Amino acid sequence: MRRVRAHLLVLGGTTEARALATALADAPPRVTSSLAGRVAEPRLPVGDVRIGGFGGPDGLAAWLRAERVDAVVDATHPFAAVMSRNAALAAAATGVPLLALRRPGWTRVDGDRWHPVESLEAAAAVLPGLGRRVFLTTGRQGIGAFAHLDGLHFLARSVDPPEPPMPAALDVLLDRGPFTLDGERALLREHRIDVVVTKDSGGAATAPKLTAARELGLPVVVVERPAVPKGVPVAESVPAALDWLAARGLTLR
Ligand code: NAP
């Protein structure tokens, strides 16, 4: 039987993944967006959505074959390193072309007091020397890395409530971006924050905390990104990803 439309799998969970699904809503290829299922009420992309893990690289490879996928765009969060590695392995095993869609990381500007670290554990190690009241914005899954820091007070912001292990002195703020500069300024002042911890997620939605911290002269511990798996091409924007698809004859542009 003749195939009328190519099939694209978008590994999602990000603003860019939703934007890509929207951009392709009315034209080839057919898009299936995949979510891990971590968030209780996720913002769903337009079009077909599947939710839950594939069962490692072999499970993903089997899914790509069964669903006759023509290309994969890994638009997961820059810190979703396991999924990105699995995608690279499954693409290599099946020969399905893979693109990583990664928004650029943030850039330090004059006045920033950034402390770059390689991991959440390294962030926890430097914190006691930087402040006592910590604004933790690394997501609920990372909170355990700070659980042993008894002398510090944490305000953690996450979409869903964190689970143990957690620091003893912890206030949780359930919220999801985009955030505003006015809001971030008020939050840092109201909670008398003296140090901020963030992943280098990049993007506009959560950047205002960096500006607010700069204005208030606060140190920011910035967890650096894991590398994109070797050999996987990277697009830094949705238009660049559309160009990659067009170059493979998968879109009409
Ligand atoms: P991860 O550690 O890289 O992946 C762990 C496992 O979760 C994977 O092996 C895979 O299970 C499953 N998985 C992850 N992303 C998936 C997707 N898009 N579709 C289907 N299964 C997926 O992932 P994570 O850091 O926990 O992130 C989970 C999701 O949250 C991702 O979609 C990511 O884009 C989003 N997110 C993550 C962060 C962050 O800071 N890490 C922030 C915002 C949003 P199987 O091996 O069974 O396939």
Side-chain angles (χ1 to χ4, degrees):
M1 197 166 59
R2 195 171 148 262
R3 298 188 69 198
V4 288
R5 288 178 88 182
H7 187 192
L8 175 70
L9 174 65
V10 176
L11 300 169
T14 58
T15 307
E16 289 74 18
R18 288 192 299 275
L20 183 61
T22 300
L24 294 169
D26 300 321
R30 175 166 81 86
V31 174
T32 301
S33 297
S34 175
L35 302 178
R38 298 274 192 290
V39 176
E41 290 178 29
R43 284 183 184 142
L44 291 176
V46 298
D48 292 344
V49 178
R50 65 162 301 287
I51 297 183
F54 294 93
D58 293 345
L60 176 56
W63 199 92
L64 297 180
R65 289 191 186 102
E67 300 296 327
R68 304 182 67 193
V69 171
D70 297 288
V72 179
V73 175
D74 168 17
T76 55
H77 190 272
F79 283 80
V82 177
M83 189 68 245
S84 293
R85 181 174 167 275
N86 291 356
L89 291 170
T94 56
V96 173
L98 168 67
L99 175 75
L101 171 53
R102 288 280 178 287
R103 58 189 176 226
W106 288 313
T107 306
R108 189 198 296 240
V109 302
D110 276 355
D112 279 330
R113 293 177 58 202
W114 284 10
H115 296 260
V117 293
E118 281 182 2
S119 63
L120 292 172
E121 290 69 27
V126 301
L127 264 186
L130 294 174
R132 282 204 61 254
R133 296 185 60 84
V134 183
F135 183 33
L136 197 55
T137 65
T138 47
R140 79 186 163 103
Q141 291 184 82
I143 286 179
F146 303 87
H148 61 289
L149 293 174
D150 288 337
L152 306 186
H153 183 279
F154 290 86
L155 172 68
R157 182 167 63 195
S158 57
V159 176
D160 287 319
E163 286 153 22
M166 299 187 283
L170 172 70
D171 291 326
V172 176
L173 184 60
L174 297 181
D175 205 353
R176 84 170 121 197
F179 301 106
T180 65
L181 181 54
D182 282 349
E184 298 295 60
R185 253 190 223 123
L187 190 79
L188 295 180
R189 287 208 179 100
E190 184 189 331
H191 292 270
R192 293 177 288 117
I193 297 299
D194 46 30
V195 57
V196 177
V197 185
T198 182
K199 292 174 176 170
D200 181 14
S201 299
T206 59
K209 66 188 166 193
L210 301 173
T211 309
R214 184 187 319 130
E215 287 179 2
L216 296 171
L218 301 183
V220 181
V221 180
V222 180
V223 183
E224 293 172 337
R225 295 171 167 211
V228 173
K230 243 188 176 158
V232 176
V234 178
E236 291 197 337
S237 66
V238 170
L242 292 170
D243 287 346
W244 183 86
L245 292 169
R248 273 150 196 81
L250 294 168
T251 59
L252 294 176
R253 301 165 93 225

